[in-house]
Amino acid sequence: MRISKRFEFGLIAALYLTPYYKIKAISKKEIANNENIPYKYLEIVMKLLKDSGIIESKAGLGGGYMLKMDPSKITALQLFNALEGKITFENLNYKTAYVYKSLESSITDALKSIDLDRKSTRLNSSHTDISRMPSSA
């Protein structure tokens, strides 16, 4: 199984925004530069995340992107659905369909159990030092 660049880059961008929740908006340029994501590709990813209601944009000076809701409320499944669509295996042989349906359910449950808040502390980007961020509480 292969994870798409779209999901990978979307997850990285969302994780990058996590420590800034309710603090400040972050530009696409900053995310692209610090996370080595091609800018044009990031534009596509950010539009999908915005259209799905996961992030919002702020215009003007100090503008950029922010998570629209608490990171603990955003799951990897929501990101996957926004960027890739629903997890589904199609055109299954009736002899093997039960295996793929079970796999589909397991993947869905696993992605649903991972939220950005937990992942951001475990997968802390080398460019984002959460320990130096002011508390958002």
Side-chain angles (χ1 to χ4, degrees), residues 5-126:
K5 288 291 184 189
R6 184 179 357 189
F7 179 65
E8 178 74 8
F9 292 155
L11 179 59
I12 290 169
L15 288 169
Y16 194 92
L17 294 174
T18 296
Y20 301 102
Y21 175 65
K22 288 192 173 182
I23 297 171
K24 71 174 190 169
I26 305 297
S27 72
K28 287 184 287 196
K29 184 177 180 180
E30 178 180 333
I31 297 168
N33 289 341
N34 289 334
E35 296 296 343
N36 297 313
I37 300 173
Y39 186 82
K40 289 290 186 188
Y41 208 103
L42 185 61
E43 284 184 320
I44 295 166
V45 167
M46 298 304 268
K47 181 178 180 342
L48 290 169
L49 292 176
K50 184 179 175 193
D51 290 348
S52 69
I54 293 172
I55 64 173
E56 60 186 339
S57 61
K58 302 285 184 187
L61 189 62
Y65 290 87
M66 299 179 77
L67 294 177
K68 197 168 184 176
M69 59 187 121
D70 188 298
S72 67
K73 305 282 190 240
I74 302 170
T75 67
L77 181 62
Q78 289 170 293
L79 291 169
F80 190 91
N81 288 341
L83 297 165
E84 301 292 339
K86 187 177 184 296
I87 297 170
T88 184
F89 294 93
E90 297 176 357
N91 303 322
L92 304 176
N93 179 300
Y94 75 94
K95 293 179 183 178
T96 60
Y98 76 95
V99 173
Y100 292 106
K101 289 297 179 187
S102 179
L103 182 59
E104 183 180 299
S105 177
S106 295
I107 292 169
T108 298
D109 289 345
L111 290 174
K112 197 184 303 180
S113 73
I114 302 167
D115 64 64
L116 287 184
D117 191 44
R118 287 197 316 238
K119 294 303 286 180
S120 68
T121 56
R122 249 188 280 155
L123 294 178
N124 184 11
S125 165
S126 61

